[in-house]
Amino acid sequence: MRTVLVTGPGGAGRTTLAAATALAAARKGARALLLTTESSAPETVLGTSLGAEAATPIAPGLHARRIDPGDRFRQEFLAFQERAGAALDLLGAAPLDEDELTELPGSEDFALLQALRAEHTSDAWDTVVVDMPSAAETIRLLALPNQVRRYLRRLLPPERQAARALRPVLAQLAGVPMSAQKLYEAAERWETELSAVQRVIDDPGTSVRLVTEAGPVATANLRAIRAGLALHGRRTDGVIVNRLLPTGSADPFLAALSGSQQTALKGLREEFPDVPVHEVAHLGRDPRGVDELDALIGGPAGGIGDTGETGETGDNGEADDNGETGDHGRNGGTAGRRPDPWTVEDRLATDGLLVWRVPLPGAERRGLGLVRRGDEIVVTVGRFRRIRTLPSVLRRCTVSGAGLRDGVLEIRFSPDPDLWPKSD
């Protein structure tokens, strides 16, 4: 199964290109689904209204579904309220009715992730195309599952859950509900859900596709976006340059604008030498309906619907931010995941060092930060940050330096004599 996450700077036309990508996959015979949280734009682009309960047929092989974050928030809150009923009664709290509830900030992120996981495990689709938020929000969204899991483990360490078997006995003796038991049960449910979402994000068939316009700041914007995606190990499978004007116009204004676009397009190709850059012509209007989306697919866009590439696979699971490999497949079995791009290079024999190599294409020295905190390393690239647990061999070392070269951050570690195994 392929999952294509379509994002880009705001206003670049990512919803339209996400729909075109899903349609192109369907035209090639795939069972394709478009997922979106937008309410009106996708319906305008597709020319039909979308349901939130089930996927809506759009064209042969193509369905689309609009995610309703408000509905999911209400369901989750009411379920939590029911589970915590005894504790709320003890506190004298008045329960909230369904018609009182409105979604809170952040609800959309969790709704989108939950829907993506559900569709991924349904086996109903060959290709799922997701109309993601703007690029900066997408990077934070894709980092969310591991971040929340880390917070849960810090606040509710798994080893303390062994004592929860005693809590029902203590509750009977005390005559009151033991809320801590409910807390650990909730944490366990969240851990299970977030782990499943993380497996979808880390699946070899999941990739990010960037949509942009060819403007003077496009290259700089996408450079920062690509560095943020690389920081979290996300694979960029293509760049779609939208709304390109025809070249060779006799109108001086259009000729100048087209020339500026071609200059920006050249810069993007130089910035992304290892990633396909696809061109999409300006139709002179906003596309509406399947027929006009077909015009985008059949134009110079070329491979915008190419979802056949699955990227690298490996037998080693990619370590998450908690230091675990988590190599279980989406159906509970064991499945290959992309190898961890953060690799340790052994230079002990030559330089007395171990080097943790972190691919960060697009990153610049300015705005690059590195801090070690105990057994964790904190890497900052511009406005994006990631916390990784050190591999076991590096926990016995001290950080001796770091440098950015050719898009790769090399963090140098020297063995700590007090912790490093001593040979006889």
Side-chain angles (χ1 to χ4, degrees), residues 54-110:
T56 302
I58 303 298
L62 174 63
H63 289 70
R65 178 187 164 200
R66 179 178 59 82
I67 301 164
D68 184 355
D71 181 63
R72 181 180 184 275
F73 172 78
R74 287 186 291 272
Q75 292 176 11
E76 290 289 327
F77 188 91
L78 292 172
F80 164 78
Q81 189 171 251
E82 183 178 352
R83 289 194 298 268
L88 294 174
D89 289 341
L90 186 67
L91 296 172
L96 295 171
D97 295 329
E98 182 175 356
D99 55 8
E100 295 182 79
L101 299 175
T102 57
E103 61 186 287
L104 297 176
S107 301
E108 184 174 301
D109 294 344
F110 285 102

Side-chain angles (χ1 to χ4, degrees), residues 330-355:
R330 64 183 183 183
N331 294 319
T334 300
R337 295 167 66 189
R338 282 194 301 275
D340 186 356
W342 295 34
T343 57
V344 178
E345 182 179 348
D346 187 345
R347 297 183 190 172
L348 290 174
T350 56
D351 303 320
L353 297 171
L354 293 170
V355 179

Side-chain angles (χ1 to χ4, degrees), residues 193-210:
E193 178 74 14
L194 291 167
S195 296
V197 171
Q198 192 64 49
R199 287 196 294 271
V200 176
I201 294 174
D202 290 338
D203 191 281
T206 298
S207 62
V208 177
R209 193 162 299 183
L210 299 175

Side-chain angles (χ1 to χ4, degrees), residues 19-32 58-62 289-295 297-298 305:
T21 299
L23 178 62
R27 294 295 192 226
K28 294 179 180 179
R31 300 170 299 165
I58 303 298
L62 174 63
V290 171
D291 291 341
E292 295 193 355
L293 288 177
D294 271 325
I297 298 170

Side-chain angles (χ1 to χ4, degrees), residues 153-192:
R153 293 182 183 195
R154 289 289 296 272
L155 296 172
L156 298 168
E159 58 270 17
R160 289 177 55 189
Q161 296 188 30
R164 67 184 179 182
L166 297 175
R167 298 190 186 278
V169 178
L170 296 176
Q172 291 179 2
L173 294 175
V176 296
M178 299 297 289
S179 58
Q181 169 70 8
K182 295 292 185 182
L183 198 60
Y184 276 108
E185 290 176 355
E188 187 174 1
R189 286 193 297 271
W190 272 100
E191 173 68 22
T192 301

Side-chain angles (χ1 to χ4, degrees), residues 48 60 72 107 140 159-160 214 226 247 292 295 312 317 399:
T48 186
R72 181 180 184 275
S107 301
R140 296 188 182 96
E159 58 270 17
R160 289 177 55 189
R226 189 185 189 192
T247 58
E292 295 193 355
E312 294 182 337
V399 177

Side-chain angles (χ1 to χ4, degrees), residues 384-404:
F384 306 110
R385 174 176 295 177
R386 186 177 185 185
I387 302 174
R388 283 289 302 263
T389 301
L390 293 171
S392 58
V393 67
L394 298 183
R395 297 174 200 173
R396 302 191 295 272
C397 302
T398 58
V399 177
S400 57
L404 182 66

